[in-house]
Amino acid sequence: MRLRSDIFVSALTRRLFSRGDFAAVEHKGAEEAGAIFIRQRFRDGLETLYAPAPQSFFDEEESGARLFEIRMDRKEPDEIRQMLDRELKFDPDLWIIELETDDIADIVPLTDQRINPLD
């Protein structure tokens, strides 16, 4: 069984605050199963956007886990905002969480990076 979105977001924000970093809920989505998008803000003004990983990354054993992938890496805030606005039009029940921290490796579970076969 997958952890409810509101509980996952609450745990995520508490972990950030306990490290002395900052986290905020920018958009509250469906409490039980809303998709979660994470904006990581850096000191240089750029941002990285993490989105839910596609189902192809999950094994049957990991059916309750949440995994994220990097959707946009170190882009201008306007580009991230435009992407999130498009996602909100498609799914108004999603969550947007904003983090101000330099390192999220131990907090946000990331997928292995896919290799683009066209590169």
Side-chain angles (χ1 to χ4, degrees):
M1 176 178 254
R2 179 180 251 184
L3 189 63
R4 289 171 44 125
S5 295
D6 58 344
I7 295 171
F8 182 88
V9 168
S10 178
L12 179 70
T13 56
R14 284 177 185 243
R15 285 187 72 188
L16 260 293
F17 282 125
S18 72
R19 291 184 354 176
D21 293 322
F22 177 78
V25 176
E26 186 178 316
H27 184 269
K28 184 177 178 182
E31 292 179 354
E32 292 184 8
I36 300 170
F37 287 77
I38 299 171
R39 293 175 81 162
Q40 180 183 13
R41 293 181 185 250
F42 297 97
R43 294 176 192 197
D44 62 2
L46 299 178
E47 297 182 8
T48 295
L49 178 64
Y50 301 90
Q55 287 300 116
S56 61
F57 280 104
F58 292 90
D59 294 332
E60 290 182 25
E61 299 168 0
E62 297 177 315
S63 62
R66 287 188 185 270
L67 289 174
F68 294 87
E69 68 176 357
I70 297 174
R71 182 72 56 91
M72 299 177 80
D73 193 19
R74 298 190 70 89
K75 301 290 184 184
E76 292 294 327
D78 290 341
E79 292 179 62
I80 302 288
R81 179 80 263 156
Q82 290 171 6
M83 170 68 80
L84 288 170
D85 287 343
R86 286 192 301 270
E87 291 289 342
L88 277 167
K89 285 180 185 177
F90 177 73
D91 180 12
D93 289 333
L94 64 82
W95 291 75
I96 301 173
I97 311 305
E98 179 182 324
L99 309 178
E100 288 184 8
T101 182
D102 292 328
D103 184 24
I104 64 166
D106 63 332
I107 293 184
V108 177
L110 295 176
T111 61
D112 294 332
Q113 296 298 315
R114 286 187 277 184
I115 297 171
N116 186 343
L118 301 176
D119 287 342

